[in-house]
């Protein structure tokens, strides 16, 4: 039986999940987060679904050992490959929140007809967005494009400047991405380059990411389960499976609070 003073576990392959952690930290300041960035296996987007499931099972086990009351899968590649498996395996113990369903609900509610999705190869190959959107709205046209260079580029600290802009331009100018009304940033790394993507479209296409919708879903579930903390439960803790200076440097720019990385080798 969980209690409100327990932490929330949150994980990603690397830095992208910090966009979600930062939003939860700001919106629910009483909650303590335990973050795990699986930098040994980053990028997840190029891995098989089986490999991603294996990593996610191990990380979730670790977060449960840290006494977490909820686990947020702050990675689209992991959410598409492993959410069902994690719920089957551990679901009875704590609630799991993925980053796909809240964004799907949001875009369908907004009534868009021509929807673009950019994400890692793992997410696009799973067709999770297309299938979930079309199961709620058969009329929606979902145009998908894998953009595998973007997450490693961001992870290395390239999230503004000429290199970033030309990689974005060459992806978004592809025929499949024409005639869309909204673009879904279906990778938790991509909010870090939202300004550059906006620059490309010059306001002609709406851009949505999952961050706010995920924070609302986390809040809803915590309230429903009577697990929302109303007193400060401690400072957030950040683990990585392999320490890299680039992660630490970039992390500091995207999490508004102190970050001290702890190396936790889960794969020995
Ligand atoms: N941030 C992750 C996602 O949302 C993936 C980046 C990666 O390929 O590891 O899919």
């Amino acid at each position: 039986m969980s209690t409100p003073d327990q932490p929330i576990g949150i994980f990603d392959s690397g830095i992208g999940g910090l966009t979600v952690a930062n939003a939860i930290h700001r919106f629910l300041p009483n909650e303590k987060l335990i973050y795990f960035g699986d930098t040994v296996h980053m990028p997840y987007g190029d891995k098989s679904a089986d490999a991603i499931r294996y990593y996610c099972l191990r990380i979730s086990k670790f977060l449960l050992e840290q006494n977490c009351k909820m686990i947020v899968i702050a990675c689209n590649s992991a959410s598409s490959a492993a959410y069902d498996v994690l719920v089957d395996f551990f679901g009875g113990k704590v609630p799991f929140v993925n980053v796909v369903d809240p964004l799907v609900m949001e875009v369908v509610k907004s009534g868009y007809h021509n929807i673009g999705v950019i994400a890692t190869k793992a997410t696009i190959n799973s067709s999770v967005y297309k299938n979930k959107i079309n199961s709620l709205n058969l009329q929606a046209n979902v145009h998908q494009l894998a953009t595998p260079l973007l997450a490693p580029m961001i992870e290395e600290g390239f999230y503004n400047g000429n290199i970033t802009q030309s990689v974005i331009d060459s992806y978004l100018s592809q025929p499949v991405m024409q005639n869309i009304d909204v673009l879904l940033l279906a990778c938790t790394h991509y909010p870090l380059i939202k300004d550059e993507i906006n620059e490309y479209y010059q306001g002609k296409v709406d851009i949505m990411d999952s961050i706010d919708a995920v924070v609302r879903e986390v809040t809803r579930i915590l309230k429903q389960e009577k697990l929302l903390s109303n007193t400060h439960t401690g400072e957030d803790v950040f683990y990585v499976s392999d320490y890299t200076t680039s992660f630490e440097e970039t992390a500091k720019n995207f999490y508004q609070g102190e970050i001290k990385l702890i190396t936790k080798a889960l794969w020995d």
Side-chain angles (χ1 to χ4, degrees), residues 12-13 16 42-45 74-77 120 123 151 186-189:
D12 179 42
S13 58
M42 155 80 205
Y44 275 9
C75 171
N76 285 266
S77 313
T120 65
T123 302
C187 170
T188 52
H189 281 65

Side-chain angles (χ1 to χ4, degrees), residues 104 125-138 142 144:
V104 165
N125 291 344
S126 76
S127 280
V128 65
Y129 278 90
K130 190 173 172 45
N131 294 341
K132 286 189 185 236
I133 292 170
N134 283 145
S135 75
L136 297 169
N137 176 4
L138 210 53
V142 183
Q144 312 184 86

Side-chain angles (χ1 to χ4, degrees), residues 88-138:
D88 275 355
F89 202 80
F90 299 112
K93 290 200 173 77
V94 297
F96 278 79
V97 175
N98 70 64
V99 287
V100 174
D101 290 318
L103 182 54
V104 165
M105 293 308 291
E106 201 82 350
V107 73
V108 169
K109 254 197 295 172
S110 308
Y112 290 105
H113 196 69
N114 292 306
I115 302 167
V117 181
I118 55 169
T120 65
K121 283 194 263 185
T123 302
I124 295 301
N125 291 344
S126 76
S127 280
V128 65
Y129 278 90
K130 190 173 172 45
N131 294 341
K132 286 189 185 236
I133 292 170
N134 283 145
S135 75
L136 297 169
N137 176 4
L138 210 53

Side-chain angles (χ1 to χ4, degrees), residues 114-119 143-145 147 150 164-165 167-186 190 193-208:
N114 292 306
I115 302 167
V117 181
I118 55 169
H143 307 266
Q144 312 184 86
L145 179 69
T147 49
L150 296 182
T164 320
Q165 200 65 55
V167 174
I168 290 171
D169 290 4
S170 72
Y171 277 134
L172 296 182
S173 60
Q174 296 198 17
V176 65
M177 282 291 111
Q178 305 317 305
N179 306 318
I180 56 172
D181 312 318
V182 63
L183 179 69
L184 304 189
L185 307 186
Y190 300 174
I193 51 167
K194 201 171 188 174
D195 289 348
E196 285 79 5
I197 293 175
N198 257 318
E199 177 84 6
Y200 175 84
Y201 284 118
Q202 302 279 324
K204 293 185 194 98
V205 167
D206 293 337
I207 303 195
M208 289 176 80

